[in-house]
Amino acid sequence: MLQEESDISLIIAQIVQKLKGSNLYAQLERQAWGSWEKRILKSLNSMCTELSIPLARKRPVGEQKELLNKWNEMGTDEPDLSLFRPVYAPKDFLEVLINLRNPNYENGDSLSFRTHLGLIQVPLKVKDIPELKECFVELGLNTGQLGIDDSTQVPPELFENEHVRIGQKVLAEQDSAAAQQYIRQGSPTALRAELWALILNISSQPEDILYYEQLKTNVIQHDLLVDSLIYKDVKLTASNDDYYFVFEDYLYQVLLCFSRDTSVLNHFAYNSASPPKSYIRGKLGLEEYAVFYPPNGVIPFHGFSMYVAPLCFLYHEPSKLYQIFREMYVRFFFRLHSISSHPSGIVSLCLLFETLLQTYLPQLFYHLREIGAQPLRISFKWMVRAFSGYLATDQLLLLWDRILGYNSLEILAVLAAAVFAFRAVNLMEVTSLAAAEAVLADLSTLKVMPLLQIFLFATVT
Amino acid sequence: MAGKVKWVTDIEKSVLINNFEKRGWVQVTENEDWNFYWMSVQTIRNVFSVETGYRLSDDQIVNHFPNHYELTRKDLMVKNIKRYRKELEKEGSPLAEKDENGKYLYLDFVPVTYMLPADYNLFVEEFRKSPSSTWIMKPCGKAQGKGIFLINKLSQIKKWSRDSKTSSFVSQSTKEAYVISLYINNPLLIGGRKFDLRLYVLVSTYRPLRCYMYKLGFCRFCTVKYTPSTSELDNMFVHLTNVAIQKHGEDYNHIHGGKWTVSNLRLYLESTRGREVTSKLFDEIHWIIVQSLKAVAPVMNNDKHCFECYGYDIIIDDKLKPWLIEVNASPSLTSSTANDRILKYNLINDTLNIAVPNGEIPDCKWNKSPPKEVLGNYEILYDEELAQGDGADRELRSRSGQSLGPKAGRSRDSGRTVLTTWK
């Protein structure tokens, strides 16, 4: 039944695209994604061959029992991961995006685009500041915000108390649309977990818990090569993070199950990518023997576990944490590492970032370009990870509030530009890429909302 | 012309020495004329001892109170708190109110504790009431988790029995004295791990009591998953949070050192448990610190040459009740990570700013009321003079430690503070 549904969704998606007249881009995307996907799979397969480890195998009963016992503390397991490498890192992906070119693009069309001096060469439409101001109107100077108006100098009676009261009301009425509107001004810490669940339409029904348990059983019974990649990623990133190291074990519990969750395949219907396929041994090329690998169609890259980590501050029940993460992934995060023309897709975000910088901070942009420090090379990793691991957790959660509220990732590009604007004075003085990286290495003290507000609403355009 | 402050220390730690040097202070030896001596606890014993001690002059300050051990020795701390509670009960103070089970409502913040061998029989009686409980044995005079072990059977502590013929302890020597406390076997777990809180509290005077809480405390996590299972009672990596122990574990990480800031803890608790219970928890933590200081204030030698920065160890149980485990007179100044070094450097810096105003040659007759601007990351926890001067109608509560920011924390107090006026 799953196949039928996804077939139909695919057809609808294609029709919609045709209607949008972006067929051209669709072709482009498919070509680009196709070759990238081939590369990733090749990398995975070669690792598999080099290490003589199968992509998947059934665990012997003894091993199953052991894993079940250790389910809550997989972090203490120390398999030898030295030979595993992440399949790709954000910077590899950036190279692919930089090389995207539309072969059918005619020069005459938009002169202005020819003067785009950034790394992205795909002429997608992105918003300018006036349009962004309209779009993010609730972030304006005259509207109360959490992240600004709950600071020490502001008496709580002015905004915070009332805002909390409204939030409680929204929750009591279980109004998802109202919650989404409300959260544009930020969520009170105590209400955030429930608000996100409401907006994402997650309610922990018995069948959801059962589904998670089934995934867990799947993990116990079968070992996937991808599991080692997940372990390695967690050990390299979250385990060393000041905020998230505590939740290491939860990350395994979520990500191992995630990689086996075939319902995630559904998102490929609206994702112009397609899930990587592999073939049963000896049946290469024969479609009847093709399987999606990993089962959820998502190959984790370096830093992938950081999508889950911040959620551990909100949810401590594994199946709920799982559901929230999965929904966040299929709604938002997947766009950050697949090629598409969607306004929230990573290509558009990169272009938006570069355009904002080039248009509103031209001196800075030109200077950085001159010294071989194209800004996108620095900000790309922030956006791909939705800033997880770069900002302090409370700030990150305020940012993700707005992603949910506006149902868009564009705010990531705006924030990236705002960070550059904030550190512009120091950046103007650097003379190398390395020095520029150093100026922007530590974002942990930044306050997200004031930065966004100033950049959008208080900069002369 | 004001001379430079002359300092001495017998603790060779860079976080101290860098702070002295950045103030342009001059290092001298203890035999010379000094103004500021950062001493180890052994040295303070000598300075104030009857035989070898000497009088301090008005321009000399030291970093310990003469009989700090009333608070910092595990057995004396418990003794003083018990005494304090009894006194309050006798005067009919509402603070000493008990519930229907005879437990103090507001002053039950130290786990049931007995001294061994002195209270051995009392302990046995208590033990037999709940024979499946676990108890923790701690030597009175040691630190850093040394000599601590857990027991769940009487036979494991036979040698502390006073009647025991096999007992080989040397009578009444303080070196052999232990305290035994009911082990909190339902600690609050985060990520399945046990942790405790280390908070720094500066006391500039005991009478009137004036104390400051450092906003940047931290949580110390065990590297191994917590289990109350009896088979793991001997595994100190599960049970003891002391960094001195944890750092020898296989999984010890030198980047974060298994530590969380208190603001992370606050964010996590508010997000998963709600704001009211979190605020209540932090208020209770401040309360128990102040009560512990009030308990020892009457017996403390409130020498005007002294100030002291304590390391409070607190455990939170899964009902979000905080327990005072112990108070350290010499909190470790060793840094296990880069963040740690910065924190301790700033701690000493802010401490010196309060204890030695303007970094000038001290005059111990000053009123010990530093202006608000020099507090740095400290905030006033309790100021007895201010509290008494305010009258009974000010019911405003101090909400310290509420910072939501990252490591460098921010106080919510500059716009809204007011002291707690517990009376």
Side-chain angles (χ1 to χ4, degrees):
Chain A
M1 191 170 105
L2 207 65
Q3 190 58 33
E4 269 176 75
E5 279 176 8
S6 62
D7 278 345
I8 292 173
S9 320
L10 199 52
I11 292 171
I12 292 177
Q14 283 172 339
I15 293 174
V16 168
Q17 278 206 329
K18 281 214 171 77
L19 290 174
K20 276 189 180 164
S22 58
N23 212 7
L24 197 60
Y25 294 138
Q27 282 177 13
L28 169 68
E29 286 153 26
R30 277 198 289 278
Q31 279 167 9
W33 180 255
S35 59
W36 170 239
E37 177 200 309
K38 279 207 192 73
R39 258 176 70 184
I40 303 180
L41 264 182
K42 192 152 170 270
S43 178
L44 194 61
N45 279 320
S46 65
M47 201 188 310
C48 179
T49 317
E50 272 171 40
L51 303 174
S52 306
I53 295 177
L55 285 178
R57 69 173 176 106
K58 193 165 166 67
R59 287 188 222 270
V61 172
E63 199 184 311
Q64 287 187 33
K65 274 214 189 95
E66 218 191 295
L67 183 56
L68 191 54
N69 283 340
K70 272 213 298 259
W71 182 255
N72 289 322
E73 44 184 33
M74 284 185 271
T76 52
D77 216 7
E78 279 285 357
D80 180 9
L81 299 170
S82 51
L83 297 173
F84 289 95
R85 345 164 264 282
V87 178
Y88 66 97
K91 63 178 180 349
D92 304 313
F93 189 50
L94 177 58
E95 290 304 321
V96 173
L97 300 187
I98 292 173
N99 289 314
L100 279 178
R101 293 269 187 284
N102 183 350
N104 297 331
Y105 176 61
E106 289 305 303
N107 291 354
D109 267 354
S110 36
L111 216 51
S112 58
F113 194 75
R114 293 213 67 205
T115 60
H116 180 78
L117 298 169
L119 295 171
I120 302 295
Q121 293 298 316
V122 182
L124 296 171
K125 170 126 188 22
V126 294
K127 298 186 173 81
D128 55 17
I129 287 197
E131 286 166 320
L132 289 168
K133 275 160 90 151
E134 249 183 68
C135 179
F136 294 115
V137 65
E138 292 86 352
L139 301 185
L141 297 164
N142 294 325
T143 313
Q145 296 294 330
L146 288 184
I148 296 175
D149 301 296
D150 52 335
S151 79
T152 62
Q153 281 74 36
V154 181
E157 303 80 54
L158 276 185
F159 167 71
E160 200 183 347
N161 289 349
E162 181 61 14
H163 190 65
V164 172
R165 204 188 56 78
I166 298 176
Q168 285 162 337
K169 189 152 173 290
V170 165
L171 280 173
E173 291 170 10
Q174 286 289 290
D175 187 340
S176 184
Q180 196 174 337
Q181 178 63 38
Y182 167 81
I183 212 174
R184 293 177 178 190
Q185 291 170 267
S187 167
T189 321
L191 304 181
R192 183 175 277 124
E194 283 183 70
L195 279 169
W196 284 22
L198 180 56
I199 295 171
L200 296 169
N201 286 318
I202 304 285
S203 58
S204 273
Q205 303 298 332
E207 54 261 27
D208 301 313
I209 301 179
L210 198 58
Y211 189 78
Y212 175 75
E213 290 298 318
Q214 281 181 327
L215 290 174
K216 178 178 163 184
T217 307
N218 214 314
V219 176
I220 303 283
Q221 289 177 344
H222 292 90
D223 178 24
L224 299 179
L225 175 70
V226 194
D227 292 349
S228 301
L229 297 176
I230 291 171
Y231 268 117
K232 182 115 191 177
D233 187 46
V234 172
K235 288 286 182 198
L236 285 177
T237 56
S239 299
N240 290 327
D241 188 290
D242 289 339
Y243 294 93
Y244 307 125
F245 73 89
V246 174
F247 303 114
E248 185 182 339
D249 295 325
Y250 286 5
L251 297 180
Y252 300 122
Q253 291 175 31
V254 166
L255 289 167
L256 293 181
C257 289
F258 181 67
S259 60
R260 288 156 175 77
D261 192 344
T262 51
S263 73
V264 175
L265 289 172
N266 291 342
H267 90 280
F268 284 105
Y270 50 88
N271 180 355
S272 41
S274 53
K277 278 203 286 237
S278 184
Y279 296 90
I280 307 277
R281 193 180 288 252
K283 309 280 186 204
L284 188 63
L286 297 172
E287 281 313 307
E288 332 56 289
Y289 293 95
V291 289
F292 293 122
Y293 187 85
N296 70 343
V298 181
I299 297 185
F301 57 89
H302 178 62
F304 193 85
S305 56
M306 296 302 276
Y307 289 142
V308 189
L311 303 173
C312 298
F313 265 82
L314 301 175
Y315 306 98
H316 52 165
E317 203 272 294
S319 75
K320 186 112 191 239
L321 175 62
Y322 179 77
Q323 282 185 278
I324 296 275
F325 165 65
R326 180 179 60 182
E327 191 60 29
M328 290 286 281
Y329 182 81
V330 301
R331 273 201 207 194
F332 303 114
F333 297 145
F334 79 93
R335 298 197 191 280
L336 296 172
H337 58 94
S338 22
I339 301 176
S340 81
S341 56
H342 192 275
S344 272
I346 188 71
V347 184
S348 303
L349 297 185
C350 289
L351 191 56
L352 174 57
F353 165 74
E354 289 190 314
T355 311
L356 284 174
L357 226 52
Q358 191 180 343
T359 313
Y360 301 104
L361 293 155
Q363 253 194 322
L364 177 63
F365 187 81
Y366 294 138
H367 169 71
L368 289 173
R369 233 180 122 253
E370 284 300 295
I371 61 170
Q374 275 276 7
L376 185 59
R377 288 204 185 276
I378 301 175
S379 66
F380 187 69
K381 55 189 183 288
W382 303 336
M383 293 191 285
V384 166
R385 283 221 210 144
F387 281 87
S388 173
Y390 297 105
L391 295 173
T393 305
D394 66 308
Q395 295 300 310
L396 184 80
L397 293 172
L398 287 168
L399 179 66
W400 287 15
D401 281 343
R402 273 73 181 191
I403 292 180
L404 284 162
Y406 291 100
N407 199 31
S408 151
L409 293 164
E410 285 161 306
I411 200 137
L412 298 177
V414 180
L415 180 61
V419 171
F420 273 72
F422 183 62
R423 300 237 169 123
V425 172
N426 290 351
L427 286 169
M428 284 305 288
E429 301 189 358
V430 302
T431 52
S432 69
L433 173 59
E437 298 258 20
V439 168
L440 294 166
D442 183 4
L443 308 185
S444 63
T445 52
L446 294 185
K447 300 284 175 254
V448 161
M449 298 318 299
L451 278 186
L452 284 168
Q453 219 179 42
I454 293 174
F455 185 76
L456 284 175
F457 295 95
T459 314
V460 177
T461 54
Chain B
M1 180 191 101
K4 291 258 176 0
V5 172
K6 303 207 254 309
W7 63 271
V8 192
T9 183
D10 52 10
I11 299 182
E12 292 295 315
K13 290 286 177 210
S14 59
V15 296
L16 274 176
I17 300 185
N18 293 344
N19 265 300
F20 300 146
E21 288 180 351
K22 91 157 185 194
R23 286 166 168 74
W25 292 359
V26 178
Q27 183 173 18
V28 298
T29 67
E30 67 173 306
N31 301 312
E32 298 170 62
D33 261 340
W34 52 264
N35 304 114
F36 187 88
Y37 197 150
W38 188 283
M39 308 182 167
S40 65
V41 290
Q42 288 75 24
T43 313
I44 194 82
R45 238 203 307 265
N46 296 339
V47 168
F48 285 103
S49 94
V50 175
E51 303 103 36
T52 63
Y54 47 91
R55 288 196 69 179
L56 294 174
S57 48
D58 282 355
D59 63 353
Q60 293 187 305
I61 312 200
V62 296
N63 65 321
H64 288 294
F65 284 93
N67 57 342
H68 62 81
Y69 42 79
E70 293 286 349
L71 180 62
T72 59
R73 258 185 64 122
K74 303 169 181 59
D75 53 348
L76 295 179
M77 176 189 89
V78 173
K79 198 169 79 133
N80 281 310
I81 289 175
K82 285 183 177 175
R83 188 209 79 242
Y84 172 69
R85 294 197 294 220
K86 287 245 149 49
E87 277 167 10
L88 287 176
E89 224 180 316
K90 238 191 299 196
E91 354 168 325
S93 162
L95 292 187
E97 211 181 307
K98 289 184 173 164
D99 67 12
E100 60 278 3
N101 295 324
K103 281 216 164 302
Y104 288 100
L105 279 171
Y106 309 111
L107 298 174
D108 176 32
F109 55 85
V110 177
V112 175
T113 301
Y114 298 98
M115 322 306 167
L116 293 185
D119 298 337
Y120 183 81
N121 293 327
L122 280 173
F123 162 69
V124 171
E125 217 182 292
E126 185 66 36
F127 181 86
R128 294 207 163 113
K129 280 192 218 157
S130 35
S132 57
S133 52
T134 307
W135 294 76
I136 181 165
M137 281 282 280
K138 300 193 244 194
C140 286
K142 298 213 180 94
Q144 304 195 324
K146 297 200 192 92
I148 296 187
F149 60 98
L150 298 178
I151 62 134
N152 59 355
K153 289 201 266 290
L154 274 181
S155 54
Q156 291 162 318
I157 52 162
K158 246 198 154 67
K159 63 181 205 200
W160 278 270
S161 150
R162 293 185 93 167
D163 301 327
S164 164
K165 294 191 177 65
T166 60
S167 156
S168 59
F169 75 88
V170 176
S171 73
Q172 311 313 323
S173 155
T174 49
K175 275 210 213 124
E176 304 287 294
Y178 271 71
V179 290
I180 185 162
S181 309
L182 186 59
Y183 184 61
I184 297 161
N185 64 356
N186 62 331
L188 176 65
L189 302 179
I190 299 185
R193 275 164 235 264
K194 177 176 167 178
F195 68 97
D196 77 345
L197 269 181
R198 160 54 62 94
L199 299 169
Y200 296 104
V201 177
L202 169 63
V203 178
S204 51
T205 147
Y206 272 98
R207 291 185 303 275
L209 179 60
R210 194 168 290 131
C211 52
Y212 306 85
M213 169 101 122
Y214 202 62
K215 285 183 264 182
L216 308 181
F218 50 87
C219 307
R220 298 176 292 205
F221 282 88
C222 294
T223 51
V224 179
K225 265 303 200 319
Y226 180 75
T227 167
S229 140
T230 47
S231 57
E232 291 288 354
L233 280 185
D234 296 326
N235 186 346
M236 286 301 118
F237 294 115
V238 171
H239 294 284
L240 297 188
T241 53
N242 310 68
V243 175
I245 301 238
Q246 291 296 329
K247 80 177 186 206
H248 297 292
E250 267 172 17
D251 290 321
Y252 186 74
N253 182 300
H254 291 269
I255 297 181
H256 49 70
K259 288 180 180 167
W260 244 19
T261 60
V262 163
S263 47
N264 278 353
L265 177 65
R266 193 152 195 148
L267 176 63
Y268 175 81
L269 288 178
E270 272 191 27
S271 302
T272 53
R273 304 279 199 133
R275 185 174 241 194
E276 289 75 33
V277 302
T278 306
S279 294
K280 178 162 171 290
L281 167 66
F282 281 91
D283 284 342
E284 265 184 56
I285 290 174
H286 302 151
W287 170 260
I288 68 184
I289 294 175
V290 172
Q291 293 307 309
S292 69
L293 292 171
K294 282 191 161 196
V296 301
V299 304
M300 271 298 193
N301 180 346
N302 193 32
D303 192 308
K304 62 190 177 194
H305 303 93
C306 306
F307 71 92
E308 203 154 19
C309 179
Y310 298 107
Y312 269 74
D313 290 343
I314 296 194
I315 288 200
I316 305 173
D317 72 18
D318 60 12
K319 314 227 173 357
L320 288 198
K321 180 180 160 72
W323 295 93
L324 175 57
I325 301 302
E326 67 171 347
V327 184
N328 293 283
S330 253
S332 162
L333 296 177
T334 318
S335 313
S336 50
T337 67
N339 283 343
D340 213 32
R341 191 181 328 275
I342 296 172
L343 180 132
K344 291 187 174 154
Y345 177 86
N346 289 331
L347 172 69
I348 302 294
N349 185 45
D350 292 337
T351 304
L352 294 179
N353 284 343
I354 294 178
V356 187
N358 299 322
E360 287 167 358
I361 296 195
D363 174 4
C364 67
K365 294 212 284 287
W366 78 294
N367 68 356
K368 308 219 180 188
S369 256
K372 211 161 43 175
E373 303 81 57
V374 311
L375 294 185
N377 288 311
Y378 273 111
E379 53 196 0
I380 299 179
L381 180 58
Y382 184 70
D383 185 329
E384 192 166 8
E385 246 175 10
L386 230 49
Q388 280 167 353
D390 278 342
D393 45 337
R394 270 187 88 182
E395 277 307 304
L396 305 160
R397 323 197 69 211
S398 152
R399 298 175 73 195
S400 43
Q402 210 182 334
S403 130
L404 296 176
K407 299 147 204 145
R410 242 177 351 159
S411 162
R412 290 185 72 93
D413 283 289
S414 35
R416 316 176 187 183
T417 300
V418 243
L419 293 176
T420 316
T421 53
W422 301 301
K423 297 205 185 287

